């Protein structure tokens, strides 16, 4: 991958240094890092710089991340079947987890955007953060090889790896409740009941109650019915996680 030989200005150099500190890795070729930090909107608005955006690196980083996490899960959990390993890996390498990892190292403040994307919150968008995180993993791989990439990936993703193993890395709480119900067929089923829609249509809040049998277990709120259902399901799922091991019905 050929990169521009342009000299980094002080602000860009500081951004690179900040990322390197968070990664505990120093790049031999900082242009790889700069490409990883560059959104396509910046390249479009600064064509005279002949910069590269991070989309190709994102493609490679996805593969590097998947291999490192898959290998760690395989080596460290020899009793888990293929299906469970796949679900764990999917939870760790998905966009919400990568966005959390990027936010934890303040990556958004180091990214380069065009004016429009920057003004519309580009530095906080989960998709931009996730893509940049994958691009950085690829940049480390290209710069230092697989051992360096493996070390950086495991360092950055370790908290979420551990959450996945303990069952705490959950984003689809409705599906988790469905799986819980399938494992406990003796218990009443779960059902969602929309109860309120507050505010005008263009700026409303939905309220949904979650029942198990005839018992109302939680009330969720959100900008859509789906968000409200997930909010209610999350409350119940957390209650179930804290319940005794025999999985008694949540109150």
């Amino acid at each position: 991958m050929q990169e521009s030989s342009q000299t980094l200005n002080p602000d860009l150099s500081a951004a690179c240094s900040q990322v390197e500190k968070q990664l505990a890795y120093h790049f031999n070729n900082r242009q790889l890092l700069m490409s990883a930090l560059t959104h396509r909107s910046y390249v479009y608005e600064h064509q005279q710089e002949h910069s590269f955006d991070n989309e190709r690196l994102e493609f490679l980083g996805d593969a590097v991340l998947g291999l490192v996490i898959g290998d760690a899960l395989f080596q460290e959990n020899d009793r888990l079947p293929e299906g469970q390993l796949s679900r764990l890996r999917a939870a760790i390498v998905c966009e919400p987890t990568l966005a959390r990892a990027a936010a934890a190292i303040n990556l958004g403040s180091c990214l380069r955007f065009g004016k429009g994307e920057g003004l519309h919150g580009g530095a906080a968008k989960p998709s931009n953060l996730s893509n940049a995180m994958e691009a950085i993993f690829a940049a480390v791989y290209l710069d230092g090889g697989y051992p360096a990439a493996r070390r950086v990936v495991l360092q950055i993703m370790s908290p979420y790896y551990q959450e996945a193993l303990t069952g705490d890395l959950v984003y689809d709480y409705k599906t988790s409740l469905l799986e819980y119900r399938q494992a406990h067929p003796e218990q009443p089923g779960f059902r969602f009941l929309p109860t309120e829609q507050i505010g005008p249509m263009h700026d409303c809040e939905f309220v949904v109650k979650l029942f198990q049998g005839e018992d109302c277990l939680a009330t969720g709120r959100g900008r859509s019915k789906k968000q409200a259902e997930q909010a209610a399901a999350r409350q119940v799922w957390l209650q179930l996680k804290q319940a005794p091991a025999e999985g008694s019905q949540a109150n």
Side-chain angles (χ1 to χ4, degrees), residues 148-165:
R150 184 179 189 277
R151 179 178 58 78
V152 169
V153 168
L154 292 179
Q155 171 196 322
I156 296 297
M157 303 304 294
S158 176
Y160 317 104
Y161 181 92
Q162 296 302 324
E163 283 185 24
L165 291 180

Side-chain angles (χ1 to χ4, degrees), residues 197-206 223:
Q197 183 175 323
I198 304 171
M201 285 298 297
H202 69 278
D203 188 29
C204 65
E205 180 182 56
F206 292 87
R223 307 295 289 182

Side-chain angles (χ1 to χ4, degrees), residues 177 180 187-188 190 210-213 215-218 232-233 235-244 247-251:
L177 286 184
Y180 174 86
Q187 294 191 12
F190 296 103
L210 173 54
F211 289 81
Q212 186 176 28
D215 297 325
C216 180
L217 305 183
Q235 295 176 48
V236 175
W237 174 249
L238 293 178
Q239 292 176 34
L240 292 172
K241 288 287 293 180
Q242 297 170 1
S248 59
Q249 182 173 331
N251 295 316

Side-chain angles (χ1 to χ4, degrees), residues 113-124:
F113 296 101
K115 289 183 179 179
E117 185 70 15
L119 289 173
H120 288 85

